[in-house]
Amino acid sequence: GAVVSQHPSWVICKSGTSVKIECRSLDFQATTMFWYRQFPKQSLMLMATSNEGSKATYEQGVEKDKFLINHASLTLSTLTVTSAHPEDSSFYICSARDRGLAGNTGELFFGEGSRLTVL
Amino acid sequence: AQTVTQSQPEMSVQEAETVTLSCTYDTSENNYYLFWYKQPPSRQMILVIRQEAYKQQNATENRFSVNFQKAAKSFSLKISDSQLGDTAMYFCAFITGTASKLTFGTGTRLQVTL
């Protein structure tokens, strides 16, 4: 099946620094990738939709300048948390849609997630 | 607005027994897809089962089956012969034909016990 790899799986950083998380589709091309944030024992909250070659579409309430998303190729999207603060500590998950699947089947393939802890 | 409601925050079932997780949703569209995702302690989301709204026949995947009631906008998941490895968070989700993103429910934490 389709594999999405996320890196790093966990990261600890100091307050004020920036952290980059990568999301790669390993065996398919993904025109669209999604970034989610998940707090403990809660559901996934969509942060933004990342489209290859164009600007990301952010959900209401998500700061564009805080969470920079780049989708430079059909297999890679990155999320950069800029000037991280302790409240940014969370579990970040990416997912990707296979451009090869006919029509909008909706099926997404998820990465393993990245746990960010900001000290 | 499109919403997904999972009214059972937590459930418990004994090994080898059957459990049903409930899910209701709301949409004004007629063409959509429904999903159940499993999130084990490892945190990676895994697709359990998928249902196209235009299909009347309920989807089945081995021990997992759904009861899809389109008129009632209900999409429950039945797990038969529960196994310890089924312990996880289960999320109901759907996507419409015109949307590009999944709408998730709040999840049900399932604990399978001996």
Side-chain angles (χ1 to χ4, degrees):
Chain A
V3 178
V4 175
S5 177
Q6 214 173 312
H7 178 81
S9 56
W10 59 271
V11 57
I12 302 173
C13 70
K14 292 182 178 180
S15 185
T17 61
S18 294
V19 174
K20 180 184 286 187
I21 301 170
E22 293 186 346
C23 179
R24 292 180 185 274
S25 56
L26 298 186
D27 51 1
F28 67 97
Q29 293 183 327
T31 50
T32 305
M33 290 185 173
F34 302 88
W35 287 96
Y36 299 84
R37 184 173 181 176
Q38 186 180 31
F39 291 105
K41 298 185 178 181
Q42 292 190 22
S43 187
L44 281 70
M45 181 187 74
L46 180 64
M47 299 175 65
T49 302
S50 172
N51 297 301
E52 186 265 338
S54 63
K55 291 183 178 180
T57 303
Y58 289 82
E59 295 299 301
Q60 192 172 8
V62 178
E63 299 176 58
K64 302 178 183 181
D65 296 331
K66 176 82 175 164
F67 300 99
L68 300 179
I69 292 173
N70 188 337
H71 194 156
S73 76
L74 285 172
T75 59
L76 174 64
S77 176
T78 60
L79 167 68
T80 302
V81 183
T82 62
S83 186
H85 290 282
E87 57 264 32
D88 298 325
S89 298
S90 188
F91 193 66
Y92 293 88
I93 305 174
C94 74
S95 66
R97 175 170 292 136
D98 186 348
R99 70 179 299 193
L101 290 179
N104 182 14
T105 66
E107 186 165 354
L108 297 181
F109 303 96
F110 286 81
E112 311 96 319
S114 300
R115 179 169 299 285
L116 171 63
T117 301
V118 184
L119 302 176
Chain B
Q2 298 171 343
T3 60
V4 180
T5 302
Q6 291 180 250
S7 59
Q8 305 152 315
E10 295 185 359
M11 293 195 72
S12 181
V13 63
Q14 284 192 320
E15 197 177 21
E17 296 296 308
T18 296
V19 64
T20 299
L21 308 183
S22 66
C23 172
T24 57
Y25 59 93
D26 189 25
T27 179
S28 58
E29 300 203 25
N30 196 47
N31 180 29
Y32 49 89
Y33 300 87
L34 295 155
F35 306 87
W36 277 98
Y37 280 92
K38 169 185 177 181
Q39 188 179 38
S42 67
R43 304 303 295 274
Q44 181 157 20
M45 299 285 281
I46 302 166
L47 179 64
V48 175
I49 200 165
R50 172 171 171 267
Q51 172 85 41
E52 291 91 341
Y54 62 85
K55 289 187 176 179
Q56 292 186 337
Q57 186 174 8
N58 289 325
T60 62
E61 285 288 340
N62 301 314
R63 298 184 293 108
F64 299 89
S65 62
V66 298
N67 183 3
F68 174 45
Q69 301 291 329
K70 191 171 183 178
K73 295 182 180 175
S74 170
F75 183 61
S76 61
L77 173 69
K78 186 172 81 171
I79 306 174
S80 304
D81 186 24
S82 297
Q83 300 176 359
L84 295 178
D86 295 334
T87 293
M89 280 288 288
Y90 287 82
F91 292 98
C92 178
F94 84 104
I95 187 168
T96 66
T98 57
S100 63
K101 54 192 179 186
L102 280 177
T103 300
F104 283 94
T106 51
T108 296
R109 183 174 300 279
L110 177 66
Q111 180 71 48
V112 180
T113 60
L114 291 171

